Amino acid sequence: MKKWLLAGSLMMSAVLLGACSQETEGEATEQKTIVMGTSADYFPYEFVDTANGDAIVGFDIEIAETITERLGYELKIEDMDFGSLLGALNSGRVDFVMAGMTPTEERKENADFSDIYLSATNLIMTKDESLQAIEDLSGKKIGVQTASIQENIAKEQAPDAELVSLNKIPEIVQELNTGRIDAMVIEDTVAQKYLDQDDSFYTFALKEDGEKGSAAAFKLDDELRDQFNEELNKMMESGEIDELVKKWFSMEPTE
């Protein structure tokens, strides 16, 4: 009888230990998915790495991957037109947005933003050397990305120009190359790629008021913003952001 009881006890212990092991293993491998919205046409912030399949990579992407991993999430990326990003955020399609986005007062009405992690200047880029000041753009066609800060800048600073709004930066550059537009508004960090490739482009900087630079966007009053911001500031203080700037903004485009 004692032998049977002992054997039964050992078998039960083995079953319980196995169950506990499986439960612990399940808990260890369970990871919440978090969805980031972006517009993957903004080299080197976010772009499709055509040299290595169709993966979306870039400066913003690596920051997002690092922070979400440290917060215990698995990152999923949704690519869409820039003008759709805040709508997707507010509808719950994505949990946050990173797309080289500037936190304007208008955008702050519909989203909370992280601290700015990279400052930048907006430029007029053209192939017409005679265009050297904002006043020269009167009556000209200016290309801008739909719903972007550059679109607002063009409306405010060049009210007598004709705006041509398109969804993707490469599309606007193509319009400029073919002469269908006279100039475009573009961030200096993004323009550098095109200036390096084509010395027939000319640029001049635009004067701007308010905040300049890129920040991540979150739903209003979302606690995720503060958690993200804490890790973002750690990356800035440790020099990790500076290292990523050196890595991505010195990179040759793959297209």
Side-chain angles (χ1 to χ4, degrees):
M1 177 65 73
K2 288 181 180 179
K3 289 181 180 179
W4 282 107
L5 288 172
L6 179 60
S9 176
L10 289 171
M11 288 179 65
M12 182 61 70
S13 296
V15 170
L16 290 172
L17 284 170
C20 290
S21 175
Q22 289 176 8
E23 183 177 349
T24 302
E25 183 180 349
E27 290 175 354
T29 57
E30 185 179 354
Q31 198 174 24
K32 293 181 181 178
T33 298
I34 191 167
V35 182
M36 181 184 104
T38 196
S39 181
D41 65 326
Y42 208 49
F43 180 94
Y45 287 86
E46 41 270 320
F47 61 100
V48 177
D49 185 5
T50 54
N52 296 291
D54 58 357
I56 298 174
V57 298
F59 177 65
D60 280 349
I61 305 302
E62 192 158 350
I63 294 173
E65 287 174 342
T66 300
I67 292 177
T68 54
E69 181 180 357
R70 290 174 182 175
L71 292 176
Y73 293 102
E74 180 180 351
L75 181 65
K76 179 182 177 183
I77 298 172
E78 288 283 348
D79 183 24
M80 60 191 75
D81 289 341
F82 187 86
S84 303
L85 288 169
L86 291 185
L89 178 66
N90 288 318
S91 69
R93 180 178 168 187
V94 301
D95 298 301
F96 71 104
V97 167
M98 284 187 79
M101 184 174 284
T102 300
T104 63
E105 292 304 316
E106 182 180 358
R107 288 171 181 162
K108 287 179 181 178
E109 294 177 4
N110 299 298
D112 283 339
F113 287 85
S114 71
D115 291 341
I116 287 177
Y117 52 85
L118 185 68
S119 295
T121 299
N122 284 295
L123 309 173
I124 291 294
M125 189 166 78
T126 180
K127 290 205 164 188
D128 185 349
E129 194 175 2
S130 69
L131 303 178
Q132 298 184 1
I134 195 70
E135 295 77 17
D136 297 332
L137 297 174
S138 178
K140 302 294 185 180
K141 291 184 178 181
I142 304 178
V144 291
Q145 187 175 40
T146 304
S148 67
I149 184 72
Q150 289 79 21
E151 184 176 49
N152 290 333
I153 289 171
K155 287 178 181 177
E156 293 170 3
Q157 297 197 26
D160 296 326
E162 179 184 343
L163 294 195
V164 178
S165 298
L166 297 170
N167 287 320
K168 305 290 184 183
I169 295 295
E171 294 174 359
I172 305 171
V173 175
Q174 179 64 22
E175 293 293 288
L176 186 57
N177 277 321
T178 57
R180 286 191 284 268
I181 60 175
D182 301 293
M184 66 181 292
V185 186
I186 187 170
E187 188 179 298
D188 57 354
T189 52
V190 178
Q192 193 59 52
K193 157 189 172 178
Y194 300 104
L195 297 174
D196 290 343
Q197 291 175 337
D198 188 343
D199 60 9
S200 66
F201 284 122
Y202 301 92
T203 65
F204 62 85
L206 294 171
K207 295 179 180 178
E208 299 174 63
D209 297 322
E211 287 187 291
K212 294 189 295 182
S214 300
F218 300 84
K219 298 183 187 76
L220 291 171
D221 301 318
D222 190 345
E223 292 180 359
L224 177 62
R225 191 276 301 268
D226 294 333
Q227 297 168 11
F228 188 98
N229 217 30
E230 184 177 351
E231 295 299 328
L232 178 63
N233 276 278
K234 288 178 183 177
M235 290 185 72
M236 289 192 282
E237 291 165 7
S238 69
E240 288 177 272
I241 295 293
D242 290 337
E243 289 301 315
L244 291 177
V245 169
K246 291 177 185 177
K247 172 183 175 180
W248 288 103
F249 287 84
S250 64
M251 182 176 291
E252 291 294 326
T254 59
E255 56 187 37

